[in-house]
């Protein structure tokens, strides 16, 4: 005998359980300027080959004794699903926390048994007890124009001060060779 509940159970499609895999980032950005009272951060970016890849948690291990930071970026992969064959770029900001002074080797787990060096994160000794050396403006958006032409390039910064007594005194643009 066929029951209604039996038909409903047979009709239910089981959701695919994704496979968790290591996915090497295409770029690791290691900003400068952190000191030993800042929340240090690193930014990674990658490009998935299609829409069957989804962002998964990234494991970050900080070894303060050996001054090594190991990043294991991961992705969920849905192997039995229909996928759009389009590139899917993404980026993630990795919070490292407050780190002691030192030069930290940033290493990336590439899915093999080897760790690839991505650069060095330099954590300096703080110059004062305050969290930052400067009061930073609350910037919400940055828009670039003519960035490929250094003679015509410009950036537009927008944001809202929380207090009408505040104004911008100066804008400093720092460029460091490398990846930031």
């Amino acid at each position: 005998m066929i029951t209604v509940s039996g038909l409903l159970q047979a009709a239910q499609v089981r959701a695919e359980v994704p496979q968790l895999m290591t996915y090497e980032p295409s770029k690791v950005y290691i900003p400068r300027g952190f000191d030993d009272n800042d929340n240090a951060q690193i930014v990674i970016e990658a490009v998935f080959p299609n829409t069957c890849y989804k962002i998964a948690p990234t494991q970050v291990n900080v070894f303060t004794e050996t001054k090594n930071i190991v990043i294991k970026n991961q992705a969920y992969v849905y192997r039995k699903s229909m996928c759009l064959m389009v590139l899917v770029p993404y980026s993630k900001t990795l919070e490292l926390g407050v780190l002691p002074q030192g030069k930290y080797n940033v290493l990336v787990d590439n899915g093999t048994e080897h760790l690839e060096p991505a650069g060095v994160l330099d954590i300096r000794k703080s110059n004062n007890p305050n969290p930052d050396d400067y009061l930073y403006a609350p910037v919400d958006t940055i828009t670039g124009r003519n960035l490929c032409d250094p003679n015509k390039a410009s950036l537009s910064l927008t944001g809202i001060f929380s207090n009408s007594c505040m104004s911008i005194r100066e804008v400093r643009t720092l460029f460091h060779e490398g990846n930031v």
Side-chain angles (χ1 to χ4, degrees), residues 27-90:
K27 194 80 168 167
V28 178
Y29 297 98
I30 305 169
R32 295 182 183 179
F34 293 116
D35 53 37
D36 62 359
N37 70 353
D38 291 332
N39 176 30
Q41 299 173 321
I42 292 175
V43 177
I44 61 171
E45 72 178 18
V47 179
F48 291 143
N50 58 53
T51 59
C52 282
Y53 288 75
K54 303 293 180 194
I55 296 173
T58 299
Q59 296 175 3
V60 180
N61 294 306
V62 178
F63 302 97
T64 55
E65 313 80 40
T66 59
K67 300 286 191 264
N68 288 314
I69 298 169
V70 178
I71 299 169
K72 182 177 183 178
N73 190 43
Q74 298 180 106
Y76 291 118
V77 183
Y78 294 82
R79 301 244 184 241
K80 297 177 185 174
S81 297
M82 295 206 38
C83 312
L84 292 176
M85 300 311 288
V86 296
L87 297 177
V88 182
Y90 73 93

Side-chain angles (χ1 to χ4, degrees), residues 102-170:
K103 293 183 184 295
Y104 292 78
N105 295 307
V106 179
L107 307 165
V108 176
D109 184 336
N110 63 7
T112 66
E113 304 237 347
H114 302 286
L115 298 173
E116 295 291 326
V120 175
L121 175 65
D122 187 10
I123 305 293
R124 296 178 305 198
K125 181 79 177 148
S126 177
N127 293 329
N128 61 57
N130 298 322
D132 293 308
D133 296 336
Y134 308 98
L135 179 61
Y136 295 102
V139 175
D140 296 321
T141 337
I142 301 174
T143 307
R145 290 185 196 91
N146 301 319
L147 298 179
C148 293
D149 184 350
N151 297 320
K152 296 180 182 177
S154 68
L155 294 175
S156 174
L157 310 173
T158 59
I160 299 172
F161 286 112
S162 59
N163 179 323
S164 63
C165 297
M166 300 176 88
S167 64
I168 292 183
R169 180 177 31 181
E170 68 179 311

